[in-house]
Amino acid sequence: MNSHPSSREVLSGLGEKVTHSLARSVKLAAGDLRTYRGWNPTWVAEASERGLANWIHDRLWSHLTSLLDGHPGVTLSHGEPTREVVVGVSYRLRIKRHREDGQVSSYPTQTALEFFAQGVQDTFPGLEEVRLVAGYEWEADSREIGEAVLSLRDGQDEVVWLVPLPDVGEAGGRGTVQPVRPTAPEPSLPSINVPEPVRREATEDGSK
């Protein structure tokens, strides 16, 4: 039985730049799909599942390329029909649509089977390459892009774990929430007690 790295270990190994870029690319691709649907809803409605998935994949990959191209330690492979992201010497990722149960679709070619199988490195033990699937959850009923996810599987159908990748906005690791800086308290003004004037009752003849 293979020992698999935890999601926490993998996210730490990938680094914030990679995980945030994956999540951001999904959000941007979702915006592209809304624009496409608003421009010509009939074309989107008539598109086959495979055709629409390919269109989304192209948009997602375009955004991911612009966010990660040139980043140290990250290699983007554009070999048709396979596109991969390699991070360092330990992680290889492919981008795919996830169903609600975490499953993904792929032709069972020898290359695909080798990618999904998490094996032991016989030549250099301890330097095993972890193969991951990043992408998004697909809401089939509404044909909408859901949240960004990252999954590890041992074989195409055996999902070891699947975790969401929260989008933190264009600022990268800084997020979209601005920090609240404390302000120095202003000196309080001195309080002065002013005695009220003594009121005298008037006499019957009008004198006080």
Side-chain angles (χ1 to χ4, degrees), residues 14 45 47 53 72 95 108 111 122-123 126 131 144 154 157 164 171 175 182 186 193 198 202:
L14 292 175
I95 309 299
T111 301
D122 297 326
T123 307
R131 268 88 69 178
E144 294 283 353
D154 197 347
D157 300 326
E186 296 181 358
N193 294 326
V198 178

Side-chain angles (χ1 to χ4, degrees), residues 164-203:
L165 297 174
D167 175 49
V168 295
E170 298 180 356
R174 295 190 297 273
T176 57
V177 179
Q178 297 298 324
V180 178
R181 300 182 182 276
T183 57
E186 296 181 358
S188 58
L189 297 175
S191 59
I192 302 176
N193 294 326
V194 179
E196 294 183 359
V198 178
R199 298 180 60 186
R200 297 180 179 180
E201 297 294 335
T203 61

Side-chain angles (χ1 to χ4, degrees), residues 50-123:
R50 180 187 301 180
L52 190 58
N54 288 339
W55 186 92
I56 294 171
H57 185 92
D58 285 344
R59 298 308 307 143
L60 200 159
W61 185 260
S62 175
H63 293 303
L64 190 62
T65 300
S66 66
L67 290 170
L68 286 179
D69 191 26
H71 185 67
V74 175
T75 302
L76 300 169
S77 174
H78 300 262
E80 292 287 351
T82 302
R83 290 165 169 168
E84 294 183 332
V85 181
V86 179
V87 182
V89 297
S90 300
Y91 302 102
R92 184 178 298 270
L93 300 88
R94 291 186 181 178
I95 309 299
K96 288 188 174 293
R97 166 186 293 184
H98 291 67
R99 298 197 297 268
E100 291 183 356
D101 58 359
Q103 296 300 320
V104 297
S105 299
S106 182
Y107 290 110
T109 63
Q110 185 63 31
T111 301
L113 294 175
E114 291 175 354
F115 174 83
F116 288 119
Q118 305 290 340
V120 177
Q121 172 62 260
D122 297 326
T123 307

